[in-house]
Amino acid sequence: AFLSLTYLREDLGRDYLGGSRFAAWVSDGPILLRYLGHTLLPLQLTVLYAASDLAATSLWGWGAWALLLLLVAGSAKFVRRRAGLACAWLLGFAALLPALNLVPQALPMADHYQQWALPGWLLALCLVVDEGLAHVPPAIARRWRLWLPALGMIFLAALALSRVPEFKSRLALFGHAVEQQPAAAQAHAGFAFALLETGDQEQVALALAASLQALESPDAY
């Protein structure tokens, strides 16, 4: 992945988040925290997200990394099968390494990157839940080990079905992205290009103006 991003891709002519590779690493803290949040509670999803250009001294960037470390360390303290838990966490983080902006990305955060981390982080979540069920009466634990996966699958299926309308057309996809992430300039640009297919020049001009305005915001993606 590093060789591909470094030597093969020719569409990554962007600056680092925050202006340097170290600042990009700091900026990745909130991005990773959001990916993890979407794994635990996958709501308000969209195709593109605004990503903040944080300075290397950003308290929010360092705080996000500290919170991630606290969550990982806390789960390790809670779960006895630590080797399996460590493997699950590392699998999720390793899957996201190509998307962590240490090489400038055209899209610093997008929903398809989430899929790379899901197997590892869902495994970590299952290990934590299973450990918690070990501390409740066996009869209740057996019932919840049956119902929790079923309820989880129903919830995820309903969530997937709810997103079908936004994937019916490019216009619907980027229109939804603009509604969910009004600071994401890439979403506005995609919406403007989708509007070109409708021939509505006035709406295209408005969308392009919104894209330029979003580029001037602190979340410049």
Side-chain angles (χ1 to χ4, degrees):
F2 175 79
L3 292 175
S4 174
L5 289 172
T6 305
Y7 297 107
L8 300 181
R9 293 281 296 274
E10 297 180 351
D11 60 336
L12 303 178
R14 306 187 67 93
D15 294 330
Y16 290 107
L17 285 177
S20 69
R21 183 168 289 174
F22 185 72
W25 183 83
V26 175
S27 298
D28 282 332
I31 292 176
L32 277 173
L33 196 60
R34 183 184 284 182
Y35 280 134
L36 182 58
H38 288 174
T39 302
L40 299 176
L41 191 62
L43 299 176
Q44 295 183 324
L45 304 176
T46 189
V47 64
L48 297 170
Y49 298 88
S52 298
D53 275 301
L54 300 181
T57 56
S58 169
L59 292 179
W60 166 227
W62 286 105
W65 277 109
L67 183 55
L68 281 169
L69 181 61
L70 182 63
L71 289 171
V72 173
S75 65
K77 184 175 179 61
F78 183 71
V79 174
R80 288 172 295 179
R81 289 172 288 180
R82 291 177 180 172
L85 182 67
C87 180
W89 277 117
L90 288 173
L91 178 62
F93 283 114
L96 282 174
L97 281 176
L100 285 191
N101 305 300
L102 299 182
V103 174
Q105 300 283 325
L107 301 174
M109 182 174 181
D111 68 342
H112 60 273
Y113 297 147
Q114 178 81 44
Q115 302 167 18
W116 304 352
L118 273 179
W121 287 353
L122 285 178
L123 177 57
L125 177 62
C126 290
L127 288 171
V128 171
V129 172
D130 187 64
E131 187 74 26
L133 291 175
H135 299 285
V136 302
I140 297 177
R142 283 194 299 269
R143 188 177 300 117
W144 279 105
R145 283 192 174 98
L146 174 65
W147 283 105
L148 279 177
L151 292 173
M153 287 187 289
I154 292 172
F155 171 70
L156 292 175
L159 187 66
L161 288 173
S162 72
R163 296 197 70 191
V164 168
E166 70 192 74
F167 282 90
K168 285 186 175 181
S169 69
R170 186 185 303 180
L171 188 64
L173 181 64
F174 287 105
H176 180 267
V178 167
E179 291 176 3
Q180 292 290 328
Q181 293 287 301
Q186 289 277 9
H188 285 282
F191 186 52
F193 281 113
L195 281 169
L196 281 173
E197 301 173 358
T198 69
D200 190 335
Q201 298 301 320
E202 182 179 354
Q203 290 299 319
V204 172
L206 289 174
L208 287 174
S211 177
L212 293 173
Q213 184 178 3
L215 277 170
E216 296 174 356
S217 74
D219 297 322
Y221 290 88

